[in-house]
Amino acid sequence: MPSAAAVHGPSAIADVARAFHELVQKASLIRELESSSRRLAALSARVTQAQEEDRARIARELHDGLGQALTAVKMDLSAAGRQLGPEATATRRRVVDARKLIDESLEELRRLVFDLRPPALDTLGLAAALEAYGREWQERTGVTVTVEAERFEPRLPFEVETALYRICQEALANAAKHAQASRATIRVAREEDRVGVVVEDDGVGFDVAASTESENGPVGVGLLSMERRAADLGGVFHIESAPGRGTTVRVSVPLHREGQ
Ligand SMILES: Nc1ncnc2c1ncn2[C@@H]1O[C@H](COP(=O)(O)OP(=O)(O)OP(=O)(O)O)[C@@H](O)[C@H]1O
Ligand SMILES: [Mg+2]
């Protein structure tokens, strides 16, 4: 039988060898790319987790440190006010003003702590935290929101509760900022061995493909960050929207992850 070189000549063999070499190079590039994207994803998950732990620590310190100190000063002022004689009208007024200022600062501190890390998320769990957030959001935006969240027993892990809470927070923030909605709904429910989250609004909707990528990349970080948080938990993120048809964000994450 004639050899390949005899049939196609030495240049054909060289071509095949070059093509083969290129394929091997491409395969190894793809492997390198896959491995660096895995490392990047792991890093992003670690950064998010560290950020959440920092937020929780700062919230605790603000609440226990500054919050307690302001409350103590307010009580001291009240005690001092009671010792003032009837002639000290001007001083009494200043005490009243100072107490009012402390009350306003305490209220601002409470909002800040809530925003950094809602206390209900640590004490009562995801469902209660979302209900509290829904009430606060409705009051602030005037948009009616319904929260139907299942109570998981035992509670979901810290990182799952945190990620799902932040996803709902961003979806509602988008509804408030862009949707001109009159109603919004949050649903959290178990779906066999997964937990599913749906955040829906009946607002103006948008063209998902056109609005998420401008010439310079994504428009905002909200949608990307929801998707990233779901992916960090081994879950999936999906958004459905069309102009005039409202917006629905769906997330599904596994309850148990292999190797954890
Ligand atoms: N519920 C919604 N209703 C209408 N449009 C929306 C809704 N959610 C997102 N969009 C559109 O998608 C775009 C991208 O949303 P994304 O959350 O990523 O960014 P953003 O809200 O503009 O900024 P950021 O979240 O970084 O503060 C928005 O600018 C808006 O045009
Ligand atoms: Mg946003």
Side-chain angles (χ1 to χ4, degrees):
M1 206 171 108
S3 70
V7 175
H8 300 290
S11 79
I13 293 187
D15 284 349
V16 171
R18 208 170 303 117
F20 183 70
H21 181 67
E22 274 171 20
L23 263 180
V24 170
Q25 266 190 331
K26 272 189 192 144
S28 101
L29 267 179
I30 289 172
R31 263 202 309 278
E32 259 175 53
L33 262 178
E34 281 171 355
S35 137
S36 43
S37 86
R38 263 198 308 276
R39 280 202 302 274
L40 260 181
L43 181 67
S44 130
R46 288 271 283 278
V47 168
T48 311
Q49 171 93 4
Q51 202 183 32
E52 285 298 340
E53 282 164 8
D54 272 352
R55 292 175 74 124
R57 184 180 48 77
I58 296 169
R60 263 195 319 273
E61 276 169 18
L62 281 177
H63 177 268
D64 298 349
L66 199 54
Q68 309 279 17
L70 279 175
T71 309
V73 172
K74 188 178 149 187
M75 285 164 73
D76 280 353
L77 268 176
S78 302
R82 280 195 296 276
Q83 283 169 14
L84 288 173
E87 73 292 348
T89 335
T91 314
R92 185 170 297 107
R93 201 173 321 121
R94 289 180 76 173
V95 168
V96 169
D97 286 350
R99 278 186 48 130
K100 207 166 137 233
L101 197 63
I102 292 176
D103 278 338
E104 284 164 12
S105 308
L106 277 169
E107 182 52 30
E108 211 160 294
L109 188 67
R110 195 192 65 79
R111 267 201 301 272
L112 193 63
V113 167
F114 186 89
D115 205 40
L116 278 167
R117 175 90 192 159
L121 200 49
D122 291 318
T123 52
L124 304 170
L126 179 64
L130 285 175
E131 283 157 7
Y133 184 68
R135 281 194 294 277
E136 190 263 337
W137 186 83
Q138 177 167 310
E139 215 168 278
R140 183 160 39 88
T141 62
V143 180
T144 309
V145 61
T146 313
V147 179
E148 295 164 8
E150 191 170 323
R151 280 166 164 71
F152 287 83
E153 205 51 65
R155 275 179 55 180
L156 297 168
F158 174 90
E159 65 277 12
V160 177
E161 286 199 331
T162 305
L164 296 182
Y165 181 87
R166 297 288 182 213
I167 288 172
C168 292
Q169 208 176 15
E170 172 59 24
L172 279 191
N174 278 349
K177 223 174 8 166
H178 310 293
Q180 299 157 42
S182 61
R183 290 196 67 86
T185 311
I186 295 182
R187 273 190 294 272
V188 180
R190 190 182 185 124
E191 296 162 350
E192 296 181 4
D193 54 351
R194 302 180 75 83
V195 44
V197 174
V198 179
V199 185
E200 234 170 1
D201 71 62
D202 65 354
V204 294
F206 70 110
D207 178 341
V208 177
S211 308
T212 46
E213 291 284 334
S214 76
E215 271 174 12
N216 307 316
V219 182
V221 295
L223 297 181
L224 274 182
S225 121
M226 289 194 271
E227 186 170 10
R228 187 71 263 162
R229 281 185 184 273
D232 287 347
L233 301 172
V236 288
F237 165 87
H238 185 70
I239 183 159
E240 277 164 39
S241 190
R245 306 248 304 273
T247 299
T248 306
V249 165
R250 286 177 207 281
V251 167
S252 165
V253 300
L255 278 173
H256 309 285
R257 293 182 68 187
E258 270 171 40
Q260 290 193 354

PDB file of all heavy atoms in Angstrom, residues 143-162:
ATOM      1  N   VAL A 143     -45.496  51.614  46.506  1.00  0.00           N
ATOM      2  CA  VAL A 143     -45.904  50.502  45.631  1.00  0.00           C
ATOM      3  C   VAL A 143     -46.262  49.299  46.525  1.00  0.00           C
ATOM      4  O   VAL A 143     -45.495  48.952  47.425  1.00  0.00           O
ATOM      5  CB  VAL A 143     -44.751  50.099  44.668  1.00  0.00           C
ATOM      6  CG1 VAL A 143     -45.176  48.942  43.775  1.00  0.00           C
ATOM      7  CG2 VAL A 143     -44.312  51.298  43.842  1.00  0.00           C
ATOM      8  N   THR A 144     -47.436  48.703  46.265  1.00  0.00           N
ATOM      9  CA  THR A 144     -47.864  47.575  47.097  1.00  0.00           C
ATOM     10  C   THR A 144     -47.002  46.345  46.811  1.00  0.00           C
ATOM     11  O   THR A 144     -46.819  45.974  45.642  1.00  0.00           O
ATOM     12  CB  THR A 144     -49.333  47.212  46.763  1.00  0.00           C
ATOM     13  OG1 THR A 144     -50.076  48.414  46.842  1.00  0.00           O
ATOM     14  CG2 THR A 144     -49.886  46.184  47.732  1.00  0.00           C
ATOM     15  N   VAL A 145     -46.496  45.733  47.855  1.00  0.00           N
ATOM     16  CA  VAL A 145     -45.710  44.511  47.640  1.00  0.00           C
ATOM     17  C   VAL A 145     -46.259  43.373  48.507  1.00  0.00           C
ATOM     18  O   VAL A 145     -46.625  43.573  49.661  1.00  0.00           O
ATOM     19  CB  VAL A 145     -44.196  44.735  47.902  1.00  0.00           C
ATOM     20  CG1 VAL A 145     -43.906  45.151  49.321  1.00  0.00           C
ATOM     21  CG2 VAL A 145     -43.394  43.477  47.571  1.00  0.00           C
ATOM     22  N   THR A 146     -46.376  42.194  47.903  1.00  0.00           N
ATOM     23  CA  THR A 146     -46.822  41.015  48.637  1.00  0.00           C
ATOM     24  C   THR A 146     -45.625  40.087  48.791  1.00  0.00           C
ATOM     25  O   THR A 146     -44.912  39.840  47.811  1.00  0.00           O
ATOM     26  CB  THR A 146     -47.900  40.260  47.814  1.00  0.00           C
ATOM     27  OG1 THR A 146     -48.837  41.224  47.361  1.00  0.00           O
ATOM     28  CG2 THR A 146     -48.584  39.198  48.640  1.00  0.00           C
ATOM     29  N   VAL A 147     -45.408  39.610  50.010  1.00  0.00           N
ATOM     30  CA  VAL A 147     -44.292  38.680  50.243  1.00  0.00           C
ATOM     31  C   VAL A 147     -44.876  37.342  50.681  1.00  0.00           C
ATOM     32  O   VAL A 147     -45.577  37.266  51.689  1.00  0.00           O
ATOM     33  CB  VAL A 147     -43.329  39.228  51.325  1.00  0.00           C
ATOM     34  CG1 VAL A 147     -42.187  38.252  51.580  1.00  0.00           C
ATOM     35  CG2 VAL A 147     -42.788  40.601  50.934  1.00  0.00           C
ATOM     36  N   GLU A 148     -44.636  36.305  49.881  1.00  0.00           N
ATOM     37  CA  GLU A 148     -45.079  34.946  50.254  1.00  0.00           C
ATOM     38  C   GLU A 148     -43.828  34.095  50.369  1.00  0.00           C
ATOM     39  O   GLU A 148     -43.335  33.572  49.368  1.00  0.00           O
ATOM     40  CB  GLU A 148     -45.981  34.360  49.156  1.00  0.00           C
ATOM     41  CG  GLU A 148     -47.283  35.106  48.993  1.00  0.00           C
ATOM     42  CD  GLU A 148     -47.970  34.756  47.679  1.00  0.00           C
ATOM     43  OE1 GLU A 148     -47.517  33.831  46.972  1.00  0.00           O
ATOM     44  OE2 GLU A 148     -48.956  35.435  47.354  1.00  0.00           O
ATOM     45  N   ALA A 149     -43.297  34.022  51.580  1.00  0.00           N
ATOM     46  CA  ALA A 149     -42.025  33.318  51.731  1.00  0.00           C
ATOM     47  C   ALA A 149     -42.168  32.153  52.705  1.00  0.00           C
ATOM     48  O   ALA A 149     -42.629  32.343  53.832  1.00  0.00           O
ATOM     49  CB  ALA A 149     -40.941  34.279  52.204  1.00  0.00           C
ATOM     50  N   GLU A 150     -41.758  30.985  52.227  1.00  0.00           N
ATOM     51  CA  GLU A 150     -41.829  29.785  53.057  1.00  0.00           C
ATOM     52  C   GLU A 150     -40.792  29.858  54.186  1.00  0.00           C
ATOM     53  O   GLU A 150     -39.699  30.391  54.000  1.00  0.00           O
ATOM     54  CB  GLU A 150     -41.507  28.596  52.138  1.00  0.00           C
ATOM     55  CG  GLU A 150     -41.784  27.279  52.748  1.00  0.00           C
ATOM     56  CD  GLU A 150     -41.675  26.168  51.681  1.00  0.00           C
ATOM     57  OE1 GLU A 150     -42.072  26.380  50.509  1.00  0.00           O
ATOM     58  OE2 GLU A 150     -41.179  25.092  52.046  1.00  0.00           O
ATOM     59  N   ARG A 151     -41.159  29.326  55.358  1.00  0.00           N
ATOM     60  CA  ARG A 151     -40.202  29.268  56.471  1.00  0.00           C
ATOM     61  C   ARG A 151     -39.516  27.904  56.437  1.00  0.00           C
ATOM     62  O   ARG A 151     -40.186  26.888  56.565  1.00  0.00           O
ATOM     63  CB  ARG A 151     -40.902  29.507  57.796  1.00  0.00           C
ATOM     64  CG  ARG A 151     -41.135  30.997  58.018  1.00  0.00           C
ATOM     65  CD  ARG A 151     -42.086  31.310  59.113  1.00  0.00           C
ATOM     66  NE  ARG A 151     -41.985  32.708  59.508  1.00  0.00           N
ATOM     67  CZ  ARG A 151     -42.396  33.746  58.788  1.00  0.00           C
ATOM     68  NH1 ARG A 151     -42.930  33.566  57.589  1.00  0.00           N
ATOM     69  NH2 ARG A 151     -42.259  34.987  59.240  1.00  0.00           N
ATOM     70  N   PHE A 152     -38.222  27.914  56.246  1.00  0.00           N
ATOM     71  CA  PHE A 152     -37.489  26.638  56.126  1.00  0.00           C
ATOM     72  C   PHE A 152     -37.059  26.140  57.495  1.00  0.00           C
ATOM     73  O   PHE A 152     -36.600  26.901  58.325  1.00  0.00           O
ATOM     74  CB  PHE A 152     -36.263  26.823  55.225  1.00  0.00           C
ATOM     75  CG  PHE A 152     -36.620  26.963  53.785  1.00  0.00           C
ATOM     76  CD1 PHE A 152     -37.012  28.190  53.273  1.00  0.00           C
ATOM     77  CD2 PHE A 152     -36.590  25.865  52.937  1.00  0.00           C
ATOM     78  CE1 PHE A 152     -37.366  28.321  51.941  1.00  0.00           C
ATOM     79  CE2 PHE A 152     -36.940  25.985  51.601  1.00  0.00           C
ATOM     80  CZ  PHE A 152     -37.328  27.221  51.101  1.00  0.00           C
ATOM     81  N   GLU A 153     -37.269  24.851  57.724  1.00  0.00           N
ATOM     82  CA  GLU A 153     -36.913  24.231  58.997  1.00  0.00           C
ATOM     83  C   GLU A 153     -36.092  22.985  58.709  1.00  0.00           C
ATOM     84  O   GLU A 153     -36.635  22.055  58.113  1.00  0.00           O
ATOM     85  CB  GLU A 153     -38.210  23.880  59.732  1.00  0.00           C
ATOM     86  CG  GLU A 153     -38.116  23.794  61.231  1.00  0.00           C
ATOM     87  CD  GLU A 153     -37.471  25.005  61.880  1.00  0.00           C
ATOM     88  OE1 GLU A 153     -38.023  26.122  61.814  1.00  0.00           O
ATOM     89  OE2 GLU A 153     -36.377  24.804  62.445  1.00  0.00           O
ATOM     90  N   PRO A 154     -34.810  22.882  59.009  1.00  0.00           N
ATOM     91  CA  PRO A 154     -33.987  23.927  59.609  1.00  0.00           C
ATOM     92  C   PRO A 154     -33.768  25.079  58.637  1.00  0.00           C
ATOM     93  O   PRO A 154     -34.008  24.937  57.437  1.00  0.00           O
ATOM     94  CB  PRO A 154     -32.664  23.205  59.880  1.00  0.00           C
ATOM     95  CG  PRO A 154     -32.601  22.111  58.861  1.00  0.00           C
ATOM     96  CD  PRO A 154     -34.021  21.685  58.639  1.00  0.00           C
ATOM     97  N   ARG A 155     -33.268  26.190  59.197  1.00  0.00           N
ATOM     98  CA  ARG A 155     -33.079  27.365  58.345  1.00  0.00           C
ATOM     99  C   ARG A 155     -32.054  27.110  57.241  1.00  0.00           C
ATOM    100  O   ARG A 155     -31.190  26.247  57.372  1.00  0.00           O
ATOM    101  CB  ARG A 155     -32.614  28.526  59.231  1.00  0.00           C
ATOM    102  CG  ARG A 155     -33.790  29.246  59.865  1.00  0.00           C
ATOM    103  CD  ARG A 155     -33.335  30.354  60.749  1.00  0.00           C
ATOM    104  NE  ARG A 155     -32.459  31.299  60.041  1.00  0.00           N
ATOM    105  CZ  ARG A 155     -31.932  32.364  60.623  1.00  0.00           C
ATOM    106  NH1 ARG A 155     -32.176  32.614  61.883  1.00  0.00           N
ATOM    107  NH2 ARG A 155     -31.158  33.181  59.941  1.00  0.00           N
ATOM    108  N   LEU A 156     -32.180  27.880  56.177  1.00  0.00           N
ATOM    109  CA  LEU A 156     -31.220  27.753  55.074  1.00  0.00           C
ATOM    110  C   LEU A 156     -29.853  28.249  55.560  1.00  0.00           C
ATOM    111  O   LEU A 156     -29.793  29.072  56.480  1.00  0.00           O
ATOM    112  CB  LEU A 156     -31.683  28.617  53.893  1.00  0.00           C
ATOM    113  CG  LEU A 156     -33.022  28.222  53.270  1.00  0.00           C
ATOM    114  CD1 LEU A 156     -33.504  29.304  52.319  1.00  0.00           C
ATOM    115  CD2 LEU A 156     -32.868  26.897  52.537  1.00  0.00           C
ATOM    116  N   PRO A 157     -28.763  27.754  54.935  1.00  0.00           N
ATOM    117  CA  PRO A 157     -27.436  28.218  55.358  1.00  0.00           C
ATOM    118  C   PRO A 157     -27.280  29.734  55.207  1.00  0.00           C
ATOM    119  O   PRO A 157     -27.939  30.353  54.359  1.00  0.00           O
ATOM    120  CB  PRO A 157     -26.482  27.500  54.395  1.00  0.00           C
ATOM    121  CG  PRO A 157     -27.268  26.385  53.821  1.00  0.00           C
ATOM    122  CD  PRO A 157     -28.703  26.778  53.863  1.00  0.00           C
ATOM    123  N   PHE A 158     -26.377  30.300  56.040  1.00  0.00           N
ATOM    124  CA  PHE A 158     -26.115  31.750  56.055  1.00  0.00           C
ATOM    125  C   PHE A 158     -25.951  32.324  54.646  1.00  0.00           C
ATOM    126  O   PHE A 158     -26.592  33.301  54.279  1.00  0.00           O
ATOM    127  CB  PHE A 158     -24.835  32.007  56.889  1.00  0.00           C
ATOM    128  CG  PHE A 158     -24.348  33.431  56.893  1.00  0.00           C
ATOM    129  CD1 PHE A 158     -24.785  34.334  57.858  1.00  0.00           C
ATOM    130  CD2 PHE A 158     -23.437  33.890  55.945  1.00  0.00           C
ATOM    131  CE1 PHE A 158     -24.329  35.645  57.874  1.00  0.00           C
ATOM    132  CE2 PHE A 158     -22.986  35.205  55.943  1.00  0.00           C
ATOM    133  CZ  PHE A 158     -23.428  36.086  56.915  1.00  0.00           C
ATOM    134  N   GLU A 159     -25.075  31.659  53.826  1.00  0.00           N
ATOM    135  CA  GLU A 159     -24.776  32.268  52.517  1.00  0.00           C
ATOM    136  C   GLU A 159     -25.980  32.197  51.577  1.00  0.00           C
ATOM    137  O   GLU A 159     -26.158  33.069  50.723  1.00  0.00           O
ATOM    138  CB  GLU A 159     -23.502  31.667  51.889  1.00  0.00           C
ATOM    139  CG  GLU A 159     -23.552  30.215  51.518  1.00  0.00           C
ATOM    140  CD  GLU A 159     -23.276  29.292  52.701  1.00  0.00           C
ATOM    141  OE1 GLU A 159     -23.273  29.746  53.856  1.00  0.00           O
ATOM    142  OE2 GLU A 159     -23.085  28.081  52.438  1.00  0.00           O
ATOM    143  N   VAL A 160     -26.834  31.169  51.752  1.00  0.00           N
ATOM    144  CA  VAL A 160     -28.017  31.061  50.883  1.00  0.00           C
ATOM    145  C   VAL A 160     -29.030  32.142  51.271  1.00  0.00           C
ATOM    146  O   VAL A 160     -29.546  32.871  50.411  1.00  0.00           O
ATOM    147  CB  VAL A 160     -28.654  29.650  50.983  1.00  0.00           C
ATOM    148  CG1 VAL A 160     -29.920  29.564  50.149  1.00  0.00           C
ATOM    149  CG2 VAL A 160     -27.654  28.589  50.544  1.00  0.00           C
ATOM    150  N   GLU A 161     -29.299  32.263  52.572  1.00  0.00           N
ATOM    151  CA  GLU A 161     -30.243  33.297  53.027  1.00  0.00           C
ATOM    152  C   GLU A 161     -29.768  34.684  52.596  1.00  0.00           C
ATOM    153  O   GLU A 161     -30.553  35.487  52.089  1.00  0.00           O
ATOM    154  CB  GLU A 161     -30.364  33.269  54.557  1.00  0.00           C
ATOM    155  CG  GLU A 161     -31.154  32.096  55.079  1.00  0.00           C
ATOM    156  CD  GLU A 161     -31.645  32.314  56.504  1.00  0.00           C
ATOM    157  OE1 GLU A 161     -30.988  33.048  57.278  1.00  0.00           O
ATOM    158  OE2 GLU A 161     -32.683  31.757  56.859  1.00  0.00           O
ATOM    159  N   THR A 162     -28.470  34.925  52.792  1.00  0.00           N
ATOM    160  CA  THR A 162     -27.939  36.255  52.471  1.00  0.00           C
ATOM    161  C   THR A 162     -28.080  36.545  50.979  1.00  0.00           C
ATOM    162  O   THR A 162     -28.557  37.607  50.585  1.00  0.00           O
ATOM    163  CB  THR A 162     -26.451  36.345  52.874  1.00  0.00           C
ATOM    164  OG1 THR A 162     -26.343  35.999  54.247  1.00  0.00           O
ATOM    165  CG2 THR A 162     -25.909  37.737  52.667  1.00  0.00           C
TER     166      THR A 162
END
